[in-house]
Amino acid sequence: MKRLIIIAIAALSLCSCSILANMNPVYLADAAGKAMTGMTLTDAQIIELCQQSVAHLDAENKVDNGAYQKRLTKILNGVDHVGDLKLNFKVYITDQINAFACGDGSIRVYSGLMDVMDDDMIMAIIGHEIGHVVHKDTKKQMQRAYMTTAAREAVYAAGGVIGNLAGSVVGSLAESYVDAQFSQKQEFAADDYGFQFAIDHGYGPYSMARGLEKLVQLSNGQKASAVAQMFSSHPDSQERAARMNQKAATYSKK
């Protein structure tokens, strides 16, 4: 346990040296313990955190109720569950090129992404994001985001219940979560999921590859500044696109 607390305190140091300088030892140990809670968040707590974070993001962004939402509904064609997880979809009006999924089944697609991709690509990208949820990648990212926020804001789950967090805390948590990045192994697995997800719902086998190729193209072109961090910094997107092309070619030969 002592070793774990030391690790947690080290994690706190990543947030801000100036914060640490102003903390007394008792408060620092207490904050470290609270950050430690993030390592053991339950699925129910993750859902609570996701719901609050998504509600905050929905309030902070302009949510479309017109053409974009209608197009997204048409693309999804009735997809509203993945296993036991109920999905809900919304479109944010923004030039940013992004999409994300949360552990509570919330999927958010940015209009900037829809402006530059066709329906096949969008379906594959959505499948990719759902893949991160199915593979529990988003749970791990929410745990990390919670630990970062807990360290900075001194918040923690009491009695197994998250409760209603302060707006500043939820905002910090949402920002940390949306900006989170995944490993190459996680991205490959999510690509595979997106590949199959698109096919299973009537889209072509090259949908995932074409979506990744588009992101590479945008990251290297005039729209590079609009490509969200989670896409522009994905590990070796060109390699991932080539991998999906090969997978699609193999599938097409069956």
Side-chain angles (χ1 to χ4, degrees):
M1 176 58 75
K2 182 177 180 181
R3 179 173 179 271
L4 290 176
I5 291 176
I6 292 173
I7 293 173
I9 293 175
L12 284 174
S13 68
L14 297 177
C15 295
S16 172
C17 291
S18 62
I19 291 176
L20 290 175
N22 294 324
M23 284 185 178
N24 62 49
V26 174
Y27 182 86
L28 182 58
D30 181 53
K34 292 169 182 176
M36 282 284 294
T37 306
M39 294 182 178
T40 57
L41 286 172
T42 65
D43 288 345
Q45 289 172 327
I46 292 293
I47 290 174
E48 287 182 78
L49 290 171
C50 285
Q51 288 173 338
Q52 291 191 52
S53 297
V54 171
H56 173 83
L57 290 169
D58 286 353
E60 290 290 309
N61 287 277
K62 182 178 180 181
V63 177
D64 180 71
N65 292 311
Y68 286 109
Q69 187 66 28
K70 288 180 180 178
R71 181 186 171 199
L72 184 60
T73 299
K74 182 179 179 181
I75 292 171
L76 293 167
N77 192 28
V79 177
D80 60 0
H81 285 80
V82 170
D84 295 330
L85 182 66
K86 184 176 181 180
L87 305 176
N88 68 88
F89 300 86
K90 291 184 181 179
V91 179
Y92 291 162
I93 300 297
T94 171
D95 290 336
Q96 288 293 304
I97 299 168
N98 199 2
F100 67 88
C102 280
D104 67 334
S106 295
I107 313 293
R108 299 297 181 262
V109 182
Y110 292 23
S111 61
L113 180 75
M114 298 183 71
D115 286 337
V116 297
M117 290 194 174
D118 60 28
D119 293 358
D120 293 61
M121 297 178 191
I122 293 170
M123 191 64 167
I125 293 297
I126 290 174
H128 172 99
E129 297 305 322
I130 292 175
H132 282 307
V133 175
V134 172
H135 299 149
K136 304 294 184 180
D137 300 336
T138 54
K139 177 179 179 178
K140 296 173 184 176
Q141 292 295 356
M142 182 57 81
Q143 287 173 325
R144 293 189 185 101
Y146 181 85
M147 289 176 65
T148 299
T149 302
R152 184 170 59 242
E153 306 286 352
V155 297
Y156 67 103
V161 179
I162 297 297
N164 292 319
L165 301 177
S168 61
V169 173
V170 176
S172 296
L173 183 62
E175 181 180 355
S176 296
Y177 178 80
V178 172
D179 289 341
Q181 299 177 34
F182 299 103
S183 70
Q184 186 179 61
K185 180 179 179 180
Q186 290 171 324
E187 295 293 5
F188 281 171
D191 288 344
D192 289 339
Y193 191 94
F195 170 87
Q196 193 61 50
F197 183 83
I199 291 173
D200 289 346
H201 292 92
Y203 291 88
Y206 285 92
S207 300
M208 190 74 251
R210 292 177 58 244
L212 289 171
E213 287 172 342
K214 174 61 73 172
L215 290 172
V216 171
Q217 175 189 345
L218 294 171
S219 295
N220 295 328
Q222 294 180 347
K223 288 186 176 288
S225 61
V227 180
Q229 180 182 0
M230 65 173 297
F231 283 144
S232 61
S233 59
H234 271 180
D236 203 346
S237 295
Q238 189 66 60
E239 178 185 352
R240 289 168 55 205
R243 180 173 173 272
M244 287 295 99
N245 267 313
Q246 182 176 10
K247 190 177 181 77
T250 301
Y251 177 89
S252 297
K253 292 178 181 178
K254 292 182 180 179

